[in-house]
Amino acid sequence: MARRHIVYLRVSTRAQDTESQKTALIERVSQFTEPYEILEDVWTGKDTNRDGYQKMLSLVNQGQVISILCWRCDRIGRNVQENLKLAEACRARSTDIVGLADVLRLLSPNGQLIMTILSAIAEYEREKISENTKAGMDNAKKAGKIIGDSFCGYIKKQAQLGFLWVILRRRCSFRPCFLGP
């Protein structure tokens, strides 16, 4: 199979979309004469158990990738060790990683340094976001607020604040604790 470029897109949630990343990356990869493939994930960058990422890694390991184009390094992942493993696999097969917004080219010595630094920053950001989210949830619990939209088999309706409605599929296990013996 012919070597190709990979356009890798990732967002963390379904509420986000990859269109802004895709537009710029397609414009860039269209300048090449070789074929390209678009791989897209909607998942956290914390781990590499993502379909698009795994396919990209497999193609790199098979020597079928000329370059990986991404918007920024943190779109590939937010885990320094995993990013460095991918970078090493790419270097061993002369596959470049190009971060468009980062102005990064992995195969240069500066690119290696910048990728390592940006991966560390991305992992740090992920940890801080997680820490802040947990702190916010803890504070909300202490204030007696319900986190999310369901509470012990009941759901709070937006239109009728102050009322809890039974979630039918859960009522059997939770209802007795509210109604007594």
Side-chain angles (χ1 to χ4, degrees):
M1 185 175 257
R3 284 175 50 98
R4 70 199 104 169
H5 300 278
I6 296 293
V7 173
Y8 184 73
L9 311 165
R10 183 188 67 79
V11 291
S12 299
T13 68
R14 295 215 181 277
Q16 301 167 313
D17 70 44
T18 58
E19 286 309 309
S20 60
Q21 296 175 42
K22 188 181 288 187
T23 302
L25 292 169
I26 296 298
E27 184 179 314
R28 176 74 170 108
V29 79
S30 296
Q31 298 171 6
F32 303 136
T33 56
E34 302 89 0
Y36 66 89
E37 183 174 348
I38 298 173
L39 298 175
E40 191 169 342
D41 284 317
V42 178
W43 196 252
T44 177
K46 179 178 165 179
D47 62 60
T48 58
N49 191 18
R50 299 174 256 145
D51 292 340
Y53 182 91
Q54 289 301 317
K55 183 172 183 183
M56 176 178 64
L57 185 58
S58 175
L59 291 169
V60 166
N61 287 330
Q62 294 170 28
Q64 295 182 7
V65 179
I66 299 166
S67 69
I68 298 168
L69 286 86
C70 58
W71 180 243
R72 291 189 322 254
C73 274
D74 68 353
R75 298 298 84 204
I76 290 177
R78 290 184 178 266
N79 181 314
V80 176
Q81 291 178 339
E82 294 299 331
N83 282 0
L84 294 180
K85 283 181 194 175
L86 175 64
E88 187 54 41
C90 288
R91 274 195 298 273
R93 288 156 189 85
S94 297
T95 297
D96 205 358
I97 297 177
V98 178
L100 213 56
D102 296 330
V103 192
L104 167 75
R105 295 201 60 121
L106 173 69
L107 293 180
S108 71
N110 287 348
Q112 292 174 26
L113 173 66
I114 291 169
M115 176 137 183
T116 303
I117 292 168
L118 291 176
S119 293
I121 291 169
E123 185 172 308
Y124 168 77
E125 286 175 337
R126 175 182 53 86
E127 293 296 328
K128 289 303 290 178
I129 289 168
S130 177
E131 186 178 274
N132 292 342
T133 300
K134 287 176 187 169
M137 290 173 72
D138 288 344
N139 286 339
K141 284 179 188 176
K142 287 177 186 172
K145 295 181 182 175
I146 297 173
I147 306 294
D149 64 353
S150 73
F151 173 73
C152 296
Y154 292 78
I155 190 165
K156 183 171 69 174
K157 298 276 186 167
Q158 285 290 75
Q160 298 174 342
L161 293 177
F163 291 94
L164 294 176
W165 297 88
V166 175
I167 301 173
L168 293 178
R169 69 181 182 277
R170 295 185 185 169
R171 72 184 165 135
C172 295
S173 57
F174 292 101
R175 196 167 192 201
C177 70
F178 284 97
L179 297 178

